């Protein structure tokens, strides 16, 4: 099996290419070790990092076009990064190992 290309353009709860990149974002590296970066393709109001149990692990209000999350304090596992803009929400899975 070949590794997935990096960075990935994320759609709702998938790591498949987004059919509408104007509301999408890229997450890299994925899997991540101590930090990952979100590159927004359009401005959003908020980025939220959730654990697989739904616990909020980090929030960035009015993020920059490229935003880095420090995840070195979090345990290994599956997390979700969600971009919110008005009533739209896009979520991508990120693996911490």
């Amino acid at each position: 099996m070949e590794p997935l290309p990096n960075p990935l353009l994320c759609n709702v709860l998938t790591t498949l290419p987004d059919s509408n990149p104007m509301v999408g974002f890229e997450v890299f590296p994925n899997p991540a070790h101590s930090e990952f970066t979100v590159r927004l393709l359009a401005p959003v109001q908020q980025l939220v990092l959730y654990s697989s149990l739904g616990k909020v692990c980090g929030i960035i209000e009015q993020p920059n076009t490229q935003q880095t999350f420090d995840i070195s304090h979090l345990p290994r596992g599956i997390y979700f990064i969600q971009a919110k803009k008005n009533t739209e929400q896009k979520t991508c899975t990120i693996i911490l190992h």
Side-chain angles (χ1 to χ4, degrees):
M1 179 180 280
E2 293 184 33
L4 294 173
N6 235 348
L8 295 175
L9 185 58
C10 296
N11 196 356
V12 178
L13 294 177
T14 70
T15 53
L16 299 174
D18 192 335
S19 61
N20 185 357
M22 294 309 292
V23 294
F25 57 95
E26 299 172 331
V27 178
F28 57 93
N30 191 6
H33 296 284
S34 60
E35 68 180 26
F36 68 90
T37 300
V38 176
R39 184 179 304 138
L40 300 169
L41 302 179
V44 298
Q45 294 163 331
Q46 188 180 63
L47 288 173
V48 184
L49 180 65
Y50 295 96
S51 73
S52 59
L53 299 175
K55 178 183 175 190
V56 174
C57 300
I59 298 175
I60 298 177
E61 300 287 346
Q62 304 298 321
N64 297 322
T65 324
Q66 188 160 308
Q67 194 71 54
T68 300
F69 274 83
D70 177 8
I71 53 174
S72 59
H73 62 286
L74 297 173
R76 293 179 181 182
I78 298 173
Y79 293 83
F80 302 97
I81 183 73
Q82 185 176 70
K84 297 180 179 184
K85 180 180 180 180
N86 300 323
T87 59
E88 285 189 71
Q89 299 177 0
K90 297 290 181 178
T91 304
C92 183
T93 304
I94 186 125
I95 299 170
L96 173 56
H97 70 94

